[in-house]
Amino acid sequence: METREYIKELRIVGGHVALDFVNTVDGTPDGESRFENLRDHGDLVAWSTRVGLITPDEAGRLGREAERRPEEAEEVYLDALGLRDALYGVFRAIAEGREPPSEGLEKLRGYECEAISRGRLAPGEDGFGWEWKDGGDLAMVLWPLAHAATGLLTSGGLDRLKRCAGCHWLFLDASRNRSRRWCTMEVCGTHEKVLRYTAKRAARRGDA
Ligand SMILES: [Zn+2]
């Protein structure tokens, strides 16, 4: 499989894999300067492998299948982006204390149904869990993702869900006093501090 170095460099800071998936688009809250980090089915597979949703062996098999059936791979990729948009809508609403959109919940439910119907209960280190074998199905990459997102939605702890004050990314605030404001201090936190400092200096000079 092709090495996709840029996937390895993506920041994983959401505190939950479903939020990290939502955070695979960069950009500002107003939707300007959006930058897509997942460019095709191969990126989706590489990212899923990096975050541990699928194994490198499965990724290899999916990669070979995708080469044989590029159109189907593209469809799965577009489905993943649709699921990601839905998840963003749902989790962002929760982070902002609003009711999540019912279409988003319904979309997730649809993928979760498919995931469960295609999954298998298998023993793990800490009890049983769901397991997916691809069996050549390119859509397999969506199942652990949908299941993880449903897990986050149903497991509690959503009162720690926040949206970054500097960009649109979402994260679980694990800090003791729940004071985390940024996805990443070095990226969004510093930027905001610089803006504040510049504004203060401008105010002191009397030109703001
Ligand atoms: Zn941010």
Side-chain angles (χ1 to χ4, degrees):
M1 202 177 56
E2 188 188 337
T3 323
R4 296 168 186 257
E5 289 300 325
Y6 51 93
I7 296 291
K8 286 189 206 148
E9 285 160 15
L10 292 180
R11 281 176 292 142
I12 302 287
V13 296
H16 190 281
V17 75
L19 301 177
D20 290 324
F21 178 52
V22 165
N23 295 344
T24 51
V25 180
D26 292 334
T28 46
D30 53 19
E32 274 175 36
S33 64
R34 259 172 78 104
F35 182 81
E36 179 56 72
N37 289 299
L38 304 180
R39 294 180 285 196
D40 57 14
H41 185 269
D43 276 359
L44 184 62
V45 169
W47 183 85
S48 299
T49 314
R50 182 183 163 197
V51 297
L53 287 177
I54 60 177
T55 66
D57 279 356
E58 283 158 355
R61 274 198 301 278
L62 284 171
R64 287 190 294 277
E65 275 310 310
E67 265 174 41
R68 271 198 287 273
R69 295 178 296 175
E71 280 168 22
E72 202 185 315
E74 181 68 12
E75 253 172 58
V76 171
Y77 165 68
L78 294 175
D79 280 351
L81 298 194
L83 172 62
R84 190 182 60 186
D85 281 349
L87 294 179
Y88 181 59
V90 166
F91 289 120
R92 176 175 169 174
I94 294 170
E96 292 174 346
R98 290 182 287 115
E99 183 107 355
S102 52
E103 320 86 74
L105 290 172
E106 188 50 29
K107 189 165 216 152
L108 175 58
R109 192 189 67 82
Y111 280 107
E112 173 72 346
C113 284
E114 196 186 334
I116 297 298
S117 73
R118 303 295 295 269
R120 182 176 91 90
L121 283 167
E125 277 169 27
D126 187 24
F128 277 67
W130 290 97
E131 187 185 86
W132 290 273
K133 297 284 173 203
D134 59 76
D137 197 326
L138 292 173
M140 176 262 181
V141 70
L142 300 173
W143 304 332
L145 257 178
H147 190 61
T150 309
L152 174 59
L153 196 62
T154 55
S155 63
L158 288 174
D159 54 329
R160 289 185 178 270
L161 180 58
K162 287 185 179 176
R163 199 184 84 172
C164 175
C167 71
H168 74 269
W169 280 19
L170 303 175
F171 60 87
L172 289 180
D173 180 2
S175 67
R176 201 149 30 114
N177 52 2
R178 305 193 183 195
S179 58
R180 181 172 161 194
R181 295 188 58 211
W182 297 291
C183 64
T184 325
M185 188 57 193
E186 306 78 55
V187 178
C188 288
T190 308
H191 179 65
E192 191 178 294
K193 279 188 179 159
V194 168
L195 285 182
R196 239 187 289 153
Y197 175 72
T198 315
K200 226 188 272 173
R201 263 187 29 171
R204 263 206 303 272
R205 280 202 313 268
D207 54 13

